[in-house]
Amino acid sequence: MILVRQEIGDVLRDVRLQKGRTLRQVASRASVALGYLSEVERGQKEASSEILASVAEALDTPISTIMREVGDRLAVIEGITTVPDTLPDDLVAEFDDLAVR
């Protein structure tokens, strides 16, 4: 069974390490308990969207970049060989219609 929380935790840890930041630094900057962030990184806790946004900001990384990496990793696990880089035209049109309102 694929655990999305595990992939999110792995990506957060990878980004943190790439940036050369400690768990303590990121937790402090994101105003998240150190132990909780550790559990999120290990895939033991589900992080809310608010926590993910705070951690992404603390890592100076757009949350879209983090979620894209999570999606790409899930696609590999699922055996999907090609992940589209663009949105389908009908979905783009739907968002354009919403923006006009």
Side-chain angles (χ1 to χ4, degrees), residues 16-44:
R16 178 177 61 77
L17 294 174
Q18 288 171 4
K19 300 264 183 176
R21 305 229 177 104
T22 66
L23 195 59
R24 185 175 305 282
Q25 290 169 327
V26 175
S28 175
R29 233 178 126 196
S31 299
V32 175
L34 176 68
Y36 182 76
L37 184 55
S38 175
E39 289 177 313
V40 168
E41 280 194 1
R42 288 180 283 147
Q44 295 175 336

Side-chain angles (χ1 to χ4, degrees), residues 1-99:
M1 173 189 290
I2 297 172
L3 292 179
V4 175
R5 71 173 186 254
Q6 183 69 53
E7 295 306 315
I8 290 172
D10 288 347
V11 169
L12 291 175
R13 182 183 315 104
D14 289 349
V15 171
R16 178 177 61 77
L17 294 174
Q18 288 171 4
K19 300 264 183 176
R21 305 229 177 104
T22 66
L23 195 59
R24 185 175 305 282
Q25 290 169 327
V26 175
S28 175
R29 233 178 126 196
S31 299
V32 175
L34 176 68
Y36 182 76
L37 184 55
S38 175
E39 289 177 313
V40 168
E41 280 194 1
R42 288 180 283 147
Q44 295 175 336
K45 294 282 184 184
E46 298 267 357
S48 67
S49 58
E50 290 87 356
I51 296 290
L52 290 175
S54 293
V55 172
E57 186 175 325
L59 291 167
D60 299 316
T61 303
I63 195 162
S64 59
T65 300
I66 290 170
M67 298 311 289
R68 176 64 182 233
E69 179 64 21
V70 169
D72 289 350
R73 290 179 184 207
L74 291 172
V76 169
I77 292 169
E78 293 173 333
I80 299 172
T81 56
T82 57
V83 179
D85 286 335
T86 58
L87 294 173
D89 290 338
D90 57 336
L91 186 58
V92 171
E94 183 178 325
F95 280 108
D96 286 344
D97 290 344
L98 289 174

